[in-house]
Amino acid sequence: MKTNGEINKKVKIIYLIEIFLMSFTFLSTAINIIYDIINCCDDVFFSSVYLLMVPYLNFFKTSSFFELIPFIIFWSISIILAILASREYMNCNIRKIIFIPLTLIWYPISTVPTMIAYNLENMNDDTLIGNILFSMLMTIFLGIVFIIKFISVFRYNKRNGNKEILYYENFQLHATDYEQIKRTSLLSPLSAGACFLLCLLIKYLNVKVLRFYYLFYIIFAIYIIIVFVGIIYECKRYENKTGEKPPTDNFLKNLNIMQIITFILFAVSFLLFAFI
């Protein structure tokens, strides 16, 4: 598997198949929506990306043009991720993959979980079962291609003596510098934002079971608290061990303030889901 010149032809074919299949699902979904509009129905093709269909399905039920907003958002995210991931696949000299794993997360969320959440009361439809099977096979294939690309990039980085693909220092037990501590602290707002968006998606799909929100918020709250305590400990530990002063006088204080504000906003967002 070449990683510093021309991509191995067999591997390149696998990448091209992945790009073709993703393009096929988008085209199938677009044709599906056009077909439904023409025939005034809510049929779902087996190869459609279900999340991209949901705004139309809601519009079919409610005739609300506000569904254009999630329609544009979902399609924009999907297409942008697919294009950027495709570029990463075809770049044989890439040092760090970002959009490929994001696509691997976004596609499964957009298919089977969305289908199940949106159709909790009607999962006996044969078209849904076919869609679930197709989506699961697509997800498995995406995972295999991701592993192939990951190994390719890992070998390239190892050959060129860099560790950017994994931010290797983040996998060590303790911090190696203040930059790593700062980067780790950003996990708090990122996690809080991810939890909020995930719950917002659940609410949009009209899943009214409150325990979903409780579960996600409890898990993310525990994680944010662990990060908060860990940042304080690692900052003190690193300073005591190396004698190196923080880059600014208020370095730890600013990180703590950011995390406290994050947690407050996180709690407020939970109240919005719980009582609105």
mmCIF file of all heavy atoms in Angstrom, residues 119-134:
data_model
loop_
_atom_site.group_PDB
_atom_site.id
_atom_site.type_symbol
_atom_site.label_atom_id
_atom_site.label_comp_id
_atom_site.label_asym_id
_atom_site.label_seq_id
_atom_site.Cartn_x
_atom_site.Cartn_y
_atom_site.Cartn_z
ATOM 1 N N ASN A 119 -39.631 6.371 13.473
ATOM 2 C CA ASN A 119 -40.697 5.397 13.205
ATOM 3 C C ASN A 119 -40.866 4.405 14.347
ATOM 4 O O ASN A 119 -41.063 3.211 14.119
ATOM 5 C CB ASN A 119 -40.386 4.636 11.913
ATOM 6 C CG ASN A 119 -40.301 5.532 10.708
ATOM 7 O OD1 ASN A 119 -41.299 5.899 10.108
ATOM 8 N ND2 ASN A 119 -39.071 5.889 10.337
ATOM 9 N N LEU A 120 -40.788 4.893 15.568
ATOM 10 C CA LEU A 120 -40.888 4.003 16.735
ATOM 11 C C LEU A 120 -42.180 3.188 16.741
ATOM 12 O O LEU A 120 -42.211 2.065 17.223
ATOM 13 C CB LEU A 120 -40.785 4.826 18.028
ATOM 14 C CG LEU A 120 -39.374 5.257 18.446
ATOM 15 C CD1 LEU A 120 -39.442 6.185 19.654
ATOM 16 C CD2 LEU A 120 -38.496 4.059 18.748
ATOM 17 N N GLU A 121 -43.244 3.760 16.193
ATOM 18 C CA GLU A 121 -44.539 3.090 16.232
ATOM 19 C C GLU A 121 -44.851 2.302 14.959
ATOM 20 O O GLU A 121 -45.899 1.672 14.853
ATOM 21 C CB GLU A 121 -45.640 4.123 16.472
ATOM 22 C CG GLU A 121 -45.488 4.860 17.806
ATOM 23 C CD GLU A 121 -46.557 5.904 17.994
ATOM 24 O OE1 GLU A 121 -47.370 6.099 17.054
ATOM 25 O OE2 GLU A 121 -46.591 6.541 19.060
ATOM 26 N N ASN A 122 -43.920 2.360 13.991
ATOM 27 C CA ASN A 122 -44.233 1.671 12.726
ATOM 28 C C ASN A 122 -42.944 1.149 12.097
ATOM 29 O O ASN A 122 -42.462 1.692 11.110
ATOM 30 C CB ASN A 122 -44.937 2.631 11.760
ATOM 31 C CG ASN A 122 -45.314 1.943 10.461
ATOM 32 O OD1 ASN A 122 -45.526 0.741 10.431
ATOM 33 N ND2 ASN A 122 -45.385 2.708 9.379
ATOM 34 N N MET A 123 -42.370 0.092 12.694
ATOM 35 C CA MET A 123 -41.134 -0.465 12.174
ATOM 36 C C MET A 123 -41.359 -1.753 11.379
ATOM 37 O O MET A 123 -40.434 -2.509 11.129
ATOM 38 C CB MET A 123 -40.155 -0.737 13.322
ATOM 39 C CG MET A 123 -39.545 0.512 13.932
ATOM 40 S SD MET A 123 -38.704 1.565 12.724
ATOM 41 C CE MET A 123 -37.391 0.476 12.188
ATOM 42 N N ASN A 124 -42.589 -2.006 10.968
ATOM 43 C CA ASN A 124 -42.881 -3.221 10.203
ATOM 44 C C ASN A 124 -42.918 -2.973 8.699
ATOM 45 O O ASN A 124 -43.145 -3.894 7.917
ATOM 46 C CB ASN A 124 -44.225 -3.805 10.648
ATOM 47 C CG ASN A 124 -44.182 -4.279 12.094
ATOM 48 O OD1 ASN A 124 -43.194 -4.855 12.521
ATOM 49 N ND2 ASN A 124 -45.254 -4.014 12.834
ATOM 50 N N ASP A 125 -42.705 -1.731 8.322
ATOM 51 C CA ASP A 125 -42.715 -1.389 6.904
ATOM 52 C C ASP A 125 -41.541 -2.072 6.201
ATOM 53 O O ASP A 125 -40.395 -1.932 6.592
ATOM 54 C CB ASP A 125 -42.609 0.141 6.763
ATOM 55 C CG ASP A 125 -42.915 0.594 5.347
ATOM 56 O OD1 ASP A 125 -42.584 -0.161 4.406
ATOM 57 O OD2 ASP A 125 -43.466 1.683 5.186
ATOM 58 N N ASP A 126 -41.835 -2.793 5.122
ATOM 59 C CA ASP A 126 -40.783 -3.514 4.395
ATOM 60 C C ASP A 126 -39.730 -2.576 3.821
ATOM 61 O O ASP A 126 -38.547 -2.918 3.753
ATOM 62 C CB ASP A 126 -41.393 -4.347 3.260
ATOM 63 C CG ASP A 126 -42.219 -5.518 3.786
ATOM 64 O OD1 ASP A 126 -41.987 -5.914 4.946
ATOM 65 O OD2 ASP A 126 -43.083 -6.018 3.035
ATOM 66 N N THR A 127 -40.143 -1.381 3.398
ATOM 67 C CA THR A 127 -39.179 -0.437 2.841
ATOM 68 C C THR A 127 -38.204 0.043 3.909
ATOM 69 O O THR A 127 -37.029 0.271 3.625
ATOM 70 C CB THR A 127 -39.903 0.777 2.223
ATOM 71 O OG1 THR A 127 -40.676 1.438 3.250
ATOM 72 C CG2 THR A 127 -40.822 0.355 1.107
ATOM 73 N N LEU A 128 -38.679 0.169 5.154
ATOM 74 C CA LEU A 128 -37.792 0.571 6.244
ATOM 75 C C LEU A 128 -36.778 -0.524 6.549
ATOM 76 O O LEU A 128 -35.601 -0.253 6.787
ATOM 77 C CB LEU A 128 -38.600 0.906 7.495
ATOM 78 C CG LEU A 128 -39.495 2.150 7.431
ATOM 79 C CD1 LEU A 128 -40.209 2.340 8.756
ATOM 80 C CD2 LEU A 128 -38.680 3.378 7.077
ATOM 81 N N ILE A 129 -37.242 -1.766 6.536
ATOM 82 C CA ILE A 129 -36.335 -2.892 6.797
ATOM 83 C C ILE A 129 -35.254 -2.955 5.722
ATOM 84 O O ILE A 129 -34.071 -3.152 6.009
ATOM 85 C CB ILE A 129 -37.131 -4.214 6.850
ATOM 86 C CG1 ILE A 129 -38.086 -4.199 8.050
ATOM 87 C CG2 ILE A 129 -36.179 -5.409 6.947
ATOM 88 C CD1 ILE A 129 -39.027 -5.377 8.110
ATOM 89 N N GLY A 130 -35.661 -2.753 4.460
ATOM 90 C CA GLY A 130 -34.683 -2.734 3.374
ATOM 91 C C GLY A 130 -33.702 -1.588 3.520
ATOM 92 O O GLY A 130 -32.502 -1.748 3.267
ATOM 93 N N ASN A 131 -34.206 -0.436 3.950
ATOM 94 C CA ASN A 131 -33.351 0.732 4.152
ATOM 95 C C ASN A 131 -32.360 0.485 5.276
ATOM 96 O O ASN A 131 -31.187 0.852 5.182
ATOM 97 C CB ASN A 131 -34.232 1.955 4.466
ATOM 98 C CG ASN A 131 -33.490 3.265 4.257
ATOM 99 O OD1 ASN A 131 -32.445 3.467 4.840
ATOM 100 N ND2 ASN A 131 -34.049 4.135 3.443
ATOM 101 N N ILE A 132 -32.821 -0.150 6.346
ATOM 102 C CA ILE A 132 -31.943 -0.458 7.480
ATOM 103 C C ILE A 132 -30.817 -1.410 7.056
ATOM 104 O O ILE A 132 -29.646 -1.188 7.377
ATOM 105 C CB ILE A 132 -32.751 -1.066 8.641
ATOM 106 C CG1 ILE A 132 -33.626 0.010 9.297
ATOM 107 C CG2 ILE A 132 -31.825 -1.690 9.679
ATOM 108 C CD1 ILE A 132 -34.548 -0.519 10.370
ATOM 109 N N LEU A 133 -31.170 -2.457 6.311
ATOM 110 C CA LEU A 133 -30.163 -3.423 5.857
ATOM 111 C C LEU A 133 -29.133 -2.758 4.947
ATOM 112 O O LEU A 133 -27.921 -2.974 5.094
ATOM 113 C CB LEU A 133 -30.840 -4.586 5.125
ATOM 114 C CG LEU A 133 -31.696 -5.519 5.994
ATOM 115 C CD1 LEU A 133 -32.411 -6.543 5.125
ATOM 116 C CD2 LEU A 133 -30.825 -6.226 7.030
ATOM 117 N N PHE A 134 -29.597 -1.931 4.011
ATOM 118 C CA PHE A 134 -28.682 -1.230 3.106
ATOM 119 C C PHE A 134 -27.766 -0.293 3.881
ATOM 120 O O PHE A 134 -26.553 -0.251 3.638
ATOM 121 C CB PHE A 134 -29.482 -0.440 2.061
ATOM 122 C CG PHE A 134 -28.613 0.364 1.125
ATOM 123 C CD1 PHE A 134 -28.039 -0.237 0.017
ATOM 124 C CD2 PHE A 134 -28.372 1.707 1.375
ATOM 125 C CE1 PHE A 134 -27.229 0.508 -0.849
ATOM 126 C CE2 PHE A 134 -27.561 2.449 0.520
ATOM 127 C CZ PHE A 134 -26.993 1.849 -0.600
#
